[in-house]
Amino acid sequence: MSRGIALVRRPSSRLAEGLVTHIERSTVDVDLARRQHDAYCAALADAGWSVLDVVPADHCPDSVFVEDTVVVCGSRAILARPGAQQRRPEVAGTESAVRAVGLEVDKISSPGTLDGGDVLQIGDTVYVGQGGRTNGAAIRQLRGLLADRRVVAVPLGRVLHLKSAVTALPDGTVVASPGLVDVGIFPAVRTVEEDAGCHVVCLGGDKVMISASAPKTTSLLEDLGFTPVVVDVSEFEKLEGCVTCLSVLVPGITGPQH
Ligand SMILES: NC(=O)NCCC[C@H](N)C(=O)O
C-alpha cells in the first residue's frame, strides 16, 4: 500500500549552471547527478512512496529542486513564486502535476516571493524562513491562505533556505545547524555538527532520509531509534541543494485523479 505520492523532477541537462549563493561554485558532474537522482527516487519507492515525475523543465538549470515550486499542506497545494526570477518558469509544470493528483490549488502572487524550501511544517505550525528568497508579502499571503495553521516567520542568516538550516524528525524535534537561524523559536532542538545533518526527510514510520555527507548525524539518528536511509546527493549539494529539495511528499494520495 502506497504511503502517497512523491513528486520529483529529472535533472536538467543544464544542471551545472544552477544558482549558487552562499558557497563557492564547483564543477557538477551531470551524469553522476542523474545516477544519484535515480537512486534517490529508488529510495523513495523502497520506502513506499509512488514516485511521480513532474514534466521536465530542461531549460531551467535548477528545476530538479522541485520542493521550491510548491507548498503542500493537507489537500492543498500553494504554488510558490520563487525569489530567483530565473526559477519562476519552473512552477507551471508543478501546477499541472498537483492538479493531476487532485490537490486544491492556490498561488503566491506578486509582490510576494516564496521558495518551498523556506517552509517547514511541524504539526499545525508552519515555519517560514524570511530572507533571501521569501519576503514578508508572501508570508502575509500564506497566513491568509492557511488560516487554520499557525504561521511563524523565521528570519534567516547566511543560508539559502530555512530547510537548509533546520528540518524536523518524525518525533517533532528539529535538527539544526547553529548560527544560521534563531533556533530558540523552535520547541525542541537537537543541534548537529554537520551542515548536511540538518536536512532530513521523514519517509514514514521511523525511516529518515539523510545525505551520505552526514555520517555523524546518521549515527545520531540510529542512537535515537530511527532508521536512516542514506543517499548520496553530492552533485546537488554543490548547488546548495539537499535531500529535502529533490521531492515533495503528498501523503495519503495514491495516483493522478482523472
Ligand atoms: N529547497 C532547497 O534546498 N533548494 C535548493 C535550491 C538550490 C538552487 N541552486 C537555488 O539556488 O535555487
Side-chain angles (χ1 to χ4, degrees):
M1 171 76 177
S2 169
R3 291 186 185 278
I5 286 179
L7 298 176
V8 299
R9 199 172 212 171
R10 282 207 298 278
S12 160
S13 59
R14 293 178 51 192
L15 176 70
E17 298 165 47
L19 294 167
V20 285
T21 308
H22 297 290
I23 60 173
E24 290 280 306
R25 185 174 289 280
S26 58
T27 308
V28 172
D29 179 336
V30 179
D31 287 332
L32 176 56
R34 288 199 177 105
R35 293 197 296 278
Q36 290 179 345
H37 194 257
D38 288 345
Y40 177 93
C41 293
L44 291 173
D46 265 10
W49 294 88
S50 305
V51 177
L52 182 68
D53 284 297
V54 174
V55 62
D58 203 56
H59 57 300
C60 297
D62 284 303
S63 49
V64 70
F65 303 119
V66 66
E67 172 186 61
D68 292 324
T69 57
V70 68
V71 175
V72 172
C73 193
S75 58
R76 301 173 72 188
I78 298 166
L79 295 168
R81 184 165 179 270
Q85 182 127 21
Q86 59 271 51
R87 296 201 57 193
R88 292 197 189 144
E90 296 174 24
V91 177
T94 305
E95 177 168 2
S96 306
V98 294
R99 286 193 188 282
V101 300
L103 297 177
E104 196 186 312
V105 176
D106 288 296
K107 297 179 185 190
I108 297 296
S109 54
S110 176
T113 65
L114 178 136
D115 281 12
D118 274 325
V119 180
L120 172 64
Q121 301 183 51
I122 306 178
D124 283 344
T125 304
V126 181
Y127 295 94
V128 191
Q130 180 268 320
R133 298 282 176 89
T134 296
N135 64 16
I139 297 173
R140 192 173 303 114
Q141 290 175 34
L142 201 61
R143 210 171 264 132
L145 290 167
L146 299 177
D148 55 336
R149 310 274 162 141
R150 194 167 73 100
V151 175
V152 179
V154 186
L156 300 182
R158 277 187 53 79
V159 67
L160 185 62
H161 290 128
L162 176 62
K163 286 167 81 175
S164 314
V166 189
T167 54
L169 291 169
D171 60 8
T173 61
V174 303
V175 276
S177 235
L180 298 176
V181 293
D182 174 9
V183 291
I185 232 160
F186 297 97
V189 180
R190 304 172 194 278
T191 52
V192 294
E193 288 174 41
E194 297 155 319
D195 283 351
C198 57
H199 314 142
V200 296
V201 180
C202 298
L203 293 176
D206 68 359
K207 287 191 175 167
V208 178
M209 183 185 267
I210 187 163
S211 165
S213 312
K216 289 185 189 165
T217 316
T218 301
S219 301
L220 171 70
L221 294 182
E222 274 165 357
D223 289 345
L224 295 173
F226 296 113
T227 301
V229 174
V230 179
V231 288
D232 189 349
V233 288
S234 65
E235 299 316 287
F236 305 106
E237 287 168 346
K238 291 175 180 172
L239 296 166
E240 290 174 278
C242 59
V243 291
T244 70
C245 55
L246 296 173
S247 60
V248 177
L249 301 184
V250 189
I253 288 189
T254 48
Q257 315 288 298
H258 299 288

